[in-house]
Amino acid sequence: MKDIAIADKYRVDKKIGAGGFGVVYSGTDLSSGEEVAIKLTSVRDNPEVLGDEKEIYEALNGGVGIPRVRWFGEECEFYALVIDALGPSLEDLLNYCDRRLTLKTILLIADQAISRIEYIHSKGFLHRDIKPDNFLMGVDRRGNTLYTIDFGLAKEFDDAQRNKYAEGLALGGTRRYASINNHNGREQSRGDDLESLGYIFVYFARGSLPWQGLKAATEEERDERIKEIKNSTTGDALCEGVLPSEFAAYINYTRSLGFDDKPDYLHLRGAFRRRFRAEGFKYDNVFDWTVKRFNEIRSENSSS
């Protein structure tokens, strides 16, 4: 891939990720030297998906935490989408922080993540694949800003609404964070994006979720077992011993939303902000990974 130049302007450097609808590479803007991210998909494999994703990015353009599209088009046997380079994903940072995040960091993430999802919904879209890999921190001056990426499975709310009574739909997105509606073969809505986010909070606090690592003879059996555990585990049970009551209330609330219900994003953020203040935390943008990196640098300097 290193020999590919996109539009004679962007050099493809190294692979940094992959998904169902393409492979993501880091790249370089040859005129400015800036780093970019380049998503490539074969012209033979659902080429319209990347074009649709480009259009969603453009519809969301200008929103906080939405990367900017720099170029889209066909190059050799690929379609390419070039966007702003971002920092590590929340999954990367969880691994860096030894697979556990503190309450302060989870609350800081929650505040931004709810706002990102609210903005996406306000523009008439459902993300439909909310997971830690699809939230990335920014770089440089925007290093403390949370970004949302990968709209390959996104859908317009109006389109979903026309199909809201459908049943027997295939599971979409990532099963670990999928909503109960998604497991039940129903069309997803705004509450489903937020429910998936709730499972991410628990995942960050516990380091795993109760339905991970299940053994089953087939994928269908595994999905059924995951669904059974999600259905039988209340928000209170999920959060017991690791997160305060606001998180259990969040999960129970998002699960209760009907298809047409508009979530009360302000109330959800407000509950978490009140808990943040009650804990005596400060809005200083000091995340767990900030502290760990500071301590590593201090240790390196003291030993040199």
Side-chain angles (χ1 to χ4, degrees):
M1 283 296 177
K2 288 190 177 181
D3 296 326
I4 292 181
I6 306 295
D8 294 324
K9 187 174 181 184
Y10 302 101
R11 185 183 69 229
V12 177
D13 294 330
K14 63 179 180 179
K15 179 179 172 181
I16 55 174
F21 299 104
V23 181
V24 182
Y25 294 83
S26 63
T28 303
D29 183 322
L30 296 172
S31 60
S32 68
E34 288 179 287
E35 188 179 347
V36 296
I38 302 169
K39 190 171 188 178
L40 298 178
T41 187
S42 170
V43 295
R44 299 184 298 274
D45 301 331
N46 297 321
E48 71 282 353
V49 172
L50 201 57
D52 291 345
E53 186 172 4
K54 182 266 297 188
E55 290 181 5
I56 293 172
Y57 273 121
E58 290 183 339
L60 298 173
N61 185 48
V64 175
I66 302 295
R68 180 170 46 106
V69 172
R70 297 190 174 212
W71 190 84
F72 173 78
E74 190 173 347
E75 186 67 51
C76 302
E77 69 267 31
F78 298 100
Y79 278 103
L81 175 64
V82 182
I83 64 172
D84 292 336
L86 298 170
S89 72
L90 293 184
E91 183 69 28
D92 295 330
L93 292 165
L94 179 67
N95 287 327
Y96 176 64
C97 295
D98 305 315
R99 303 288 306 163
R100 290 288 194 286
L101 298 181
T102 63
L103 177 60
K104 179 187 176 184
T105 289
I106 295 170
L107 285 168
L108 286 171
I109 290 168
D111 195 73
Q112 292 200 52
I114 292 169
S115 294
R116 299 300 167 270
I117 293 173
E118 180 183 15
Y119 175 72
I120 292 163
H121 291 172
S122 76
K123 292 297 185 177
F125 296 99
L126 307 170
H127 188 283
R128 306 193 336 142
D129 194 15
I130 297 292
K131 59 182 179 180
D133 308 82
N134 286 340
F135 287 104
L136 280 65
M137 300 306 294
V139 293
D140 301 328
R141 288 177 301 165
R142 296 183 177 86
N144 295 317
T145 300
L146 187 68
Y147 283 76
T148 311
I149 64 160
D150 197 346
F151 293 88
L153 293 175
K155 192 171 191 176
E156 288 190 50
F157 177 69
D158 287 348
D159 287 346
Q161 201 166 35
R162 284 189 281 272
N163 200 37
K164 67 180 178 181
Y165 297 115
E167 294 186 3
L169 300 175
L171 182 72
T174 305
R175 59 172 55 85
R176 184 184 295 177
Y177 309 104
S179 67
I180 291 173
N181 278 334
N182 193 352
H183 279 287
N184 286 332
R186 300 194 187 109
E187 188 70 52
Q188 295 181 65
S189 189
R190 293 170 291 203
D192 299 276
D193 277 348
L194 291 170
E195 182 183 337
S196 294
L197 183 62
Y199 299 141
I200 292 176
F201 301 150
V202 177
Y203 175 70
F204 288 161
R206 290 188 177 277
S208 64
L209 289 163
W211 44 83
Q212 281 181 243
L214 298 177
K215 299 290 188 291
T218 65
E219 289 290 297
E220 290 76 16
E221 284 182 27
R222 187 151 68 104
D223 287 343
E224 191 61 31
R225 290 193 63 195
I226 292 172
K227 180 174 79 170
E228 288 170 3
I229 295 172
K230 283 183 185 174
N231 267 313
S232 63
T233 309
T234 63
D236 302 79
L238 274 173
C239 298
E240 187 177 7
V242 292
L243 286 170
S245 60
E246 288 83 358
F247 288 88
Y250 174 97
I251 290 170
N252 293 334
Y253 169 77
T254 57
R255 285 176 168 183
S256 75
L257 291 168
F259 186 95
D260 291 309
D261 291 339
K262 182 182 179 182
D264 191 340
Y265 309 96
L266 188 64
H267 169 76
L268 295 173
R269 267 195 311 274
F272 288 144
R273 287 177 179 177
R274 286 189 293 275
R275 169 57 68 174
F276 191 92
R277 289 192 295 271
E279 295 286 339
F281 299 143
K282 292 185 172 61
Y283 285 101
D284 51 12
N285 284 322
V286 176
F287 298 87
D288 291 341
W289 48 88
T290 319
V291 175
K292 182 168 184 181
R293 185 63 190 135
F294 175 79
N295 289 335
E296 286 175 347
I297 292 170
R298 187 170 60 179
S299 178
E300 288 166 8
N301 290 339
S302 64
S303 61
S304 61

